[in-house]
């Protein structure tokens, strides 16, 4: 059985996120667009040429889709 999106481990680096995931518009685990009830998962960090990149990431809520 696949765990719910909220239980999946976060990506190790910012570079692993899609643009929608980095902007908080898509689930960090399954990539589906988020709706009401999304669950805050934390921050994914990264850097590029001295520029700090970080993203607040979200997961599907209990009533949404996902694995």
């Amino acid at each position: 059985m696949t765990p719910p999106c909220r239980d999946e481990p976060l990506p190790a680096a910012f570079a692993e996120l899609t643009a929608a995931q980095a902007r908080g518009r898509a689930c960090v685990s399954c990539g589906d667009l988020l709706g009401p009830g999304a669950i805050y998962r934390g921050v994914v960090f990264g850097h590029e040429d001295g520029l700090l990149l970080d993203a607040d990431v979200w997961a599907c809520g209990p009533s949404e889709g996902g694995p």
Side-chain angles (χ1 to χ4, degrees), residues 19-64:
Q21 289 169 325
R23 291 182 180 126
R25 296 182 180 148
C27 175
V28 68
S29 298
C30 71
D32 288 348
L33 293 179
L34 295 171
I39 298 168
Y40 180 72
R41 289 295 316 278
V43 180
V44 175
F45 296 97
H47 65 279
E48 182 176 323
D49 296 329
L51 178 64
L52 178 63
L53 304 173
D54 62 342
D56 289 316
V57 293
W58 298 77
C60 294
S63 63
E64 297 183 63

Side-chain angles (χ1 to χ4, degrees), residues 7-25:
D7 296 332
E8 289 288 321
L10 292 178
F14 182 88
E16 297 177 35
L17 300 174
T18 66
Q21 289 169 325
R23 291 182 180 126
R25 296 182 180 148

